Every structure is written in C-alpha cells, then in structure tokens.
Amino acid sequence: MGRESGTFIRTSGTTRLADESMLKELMLVGVNRSFDTLPYETAKPLSGNDIEDMCNRLTVYARDNAKSFDESNQIKQLNLSKMLSWKLVIEQDGKYYPSNAFMMFKDDNPFQFINIQCARFKGTNRILFIDKKEYGGPIYQQIDDAMRFIMNHLNMEVKIVPNKIAHEEKFEIPTEAIREILVNAVCHRNLTDNSRVQVAIYDDRVEITSPGILYNGLTLKGMLEGKTATRNACIANVLTYLNVIENWGTGVQRAILLCKEASVKEPEFIEMDSAIRVNFYRPSYNEPINEPINEPINEPIKTELSKNGQKIFEYMKANLNCSREDLSNLFGLSLSTVKRAIKELTDKGYISGKTSNKSGTWIIKK
C-alpha cells in the first residue's frame, strides 16, 4: 500500500493510519536518529563566539539551578567536546554547525511550535479564557515561565509555624510533581508534530498535554512502572546537565509519590490518538449543584454556533493539526457529533477544512 497509505500505528487499543509527523519520526528511528540531533537546515557555520556564548549560558544556568552550593561548584564548564558528543553541535568538513536542539536552547528559538501554551479557563471546559500566555525562547526558560503561570493560578495555604518568624506556604497540588510532568512533556514530546505542549488550568484540574504517542514501543503501564524510552537524546542530555531532569526515568513515579505524600489524588494519565495527557485534580474544587451560566470574560461567545461548535472551534484555533479523533476523545463526543460540528463550522464560514485529507492543519477563516 506504500509508505503513506500502508503504515499503521497501534495505540490506545486501536490501530490507525500513521500521520505525517509519525512517518517522519519512524523514518528517523529506522536510522537511529532523532529530530533534535539533526543539523539545523538553514544554519550557517557557528563562530567561536557562538559556541562560547552557548557554553557559558548553559553553564551559568546549571550552576544557578543546582540544589546546593557544593553541587554548584562541582558542575564543570561546558565545552565544545561535550556539545559534540551530545550532537548539540555537529562537525562537517572542519566546520561546526548547530543541531536543531542547539537552536531550541537559543534566546531566539526559531521553531514556531517548540514552545508552551498556557491558559486558565473559567469552569471545567475549554470555552472561556481567564488568562492565557505562550512561552518561547530557550526550552529551559519555557519550563520556568510555565511553572510561574501555573503557580499564579493555584490556591496556596499559608501556615503560621509556632516560635518561628517565617511561615510555610503550601500549594494545593505539589508543584514539584507538576514540574516533573511538565519537564517530561517538554523533553519527550514528538518534535516533528506541529503542536505545542499545552498547560490548561480549570476550576477542577491542571491538565498537561504533550504532542506524540508513547515512543518506541513504550506502554502506559510500562511508563507508570518506571520504564523509559528517550525520544530526544540531545535535549535529555542538556536538561540533565542543567539539573532540570535526572535522566533516570523516575519523573512519573516521583510525581505520583509526591501527590500521595501530600494526600492529593494521584495524577491521571491518558493516551490520546496523537498526544499524552496528564491531569492533576485540584482538592479545592467543589462541584456546583447547578452549573452557573458562564459569562464572557475576554471573548464574546459566538451565539450563532451550537455549544459543540463553539468549543471545537476554540480548540481548533489553538491546535490547528488536531484530528477528529482527538476532538472526540477530548470532549467525550461521538465521531458523528464531531463531524456535524465541523460541517457547521464549514457551512458558516469559520473554517474551510484541512490543508490535506489525512494530515495537515485546519484553515481558520474567522
């Protein structure tokens, strides 16, 4: 049937045709490469100053991010040899070129989709925004920025400790647990998928979504048991050096343990057709007896659309390559209901379909 029509993926108990991003990744796996280690296509050779600047910036961040003064002093200055071994820098014909990962650690990160979208929604669904931000730049800075956004929208308990001047601050969900999952989402996402890592905060939960299915045969059960498969080896090596991850595959188990220790519901892990989602449930949430009518906050509701049409359109605008199956799983709707909503959006001029039938992005017209 050919590569495009005859490659199928088994995930979440179903078999489906591999989309364009999956095909790209499978081809890289076949030659034992990953997207982050490929040479950046349009790059010129790096100068000595370019290399020195990157080494210094990463070293400073690693030392600042160390857990203690002693650990900071033990971190060695990053050098060209180490960057070459990680494939952060690639040598060709006696010249040094940046890899894709090198560009992702620059202040002017050129990859449009390698960033983090954050939003706080009113209620428990993706209809009305209270706050939203999109963070680009070096991926380690994206993680720090996204964590600040999350902490700004979580409830915090302040506890006065007897006989102490200082007080204790405790968030409703352990922020270390959230950070572990956020770092995993960034480090192990499918970089060939033109979707962003998303953080969505609702009244009842914090939701982190990472583009791409589990990598190289890893199962959800295996992941929860501590097994790991490194999708982006160069990024993992750099984040390990920066003390952002430990590179032992313990992040998921650590997040679960931190929630247990805080007597908070364990995070929920969900396999979607083209993404992995983790939900942290907020103990502060009390389900209302009668759901109040949502009032507009910063965007008017398009009353000419049905309820399903509204929420699907809002999601499409932020996730241009989502599939009908993604929408069905996300909103708990049947495929026929999703197709009716898409027809409504098309008929009323909100969208004009996708750039291709089996893959591509939705074309937004309003």
Side-chain angles (χ1 to χ4, degrees), residues 125-137:
N125 50 41
R126 296 192 181 201
I127 297 179
L128 289 172
F129 290 97
I130 293 176
D131 189 13
K132 57 182 174 179
K133 295 285 190 302
E134 186 163 328
Y135 299 110

Side-chain angles (χ1 to χ4, degrees), residues 50-76:
D50 293 331
I51 294 171
E52 183 180 5
D53 178 65
M54 179 63 77
C55 286
N56 289 338
R57 287 196 304 109
L58 293 180
T59 301
V60 168
Y61 185 89
R63 289 173 176 168
D64 289 345
N65 204 39
K67 295 182 176 64
S68 68
F69 180 78
D70 288 339
E71 285 186 17
S72 177
N73 286 337
Q74 292 173 12
I75 293 173
K76 296 180 179 179

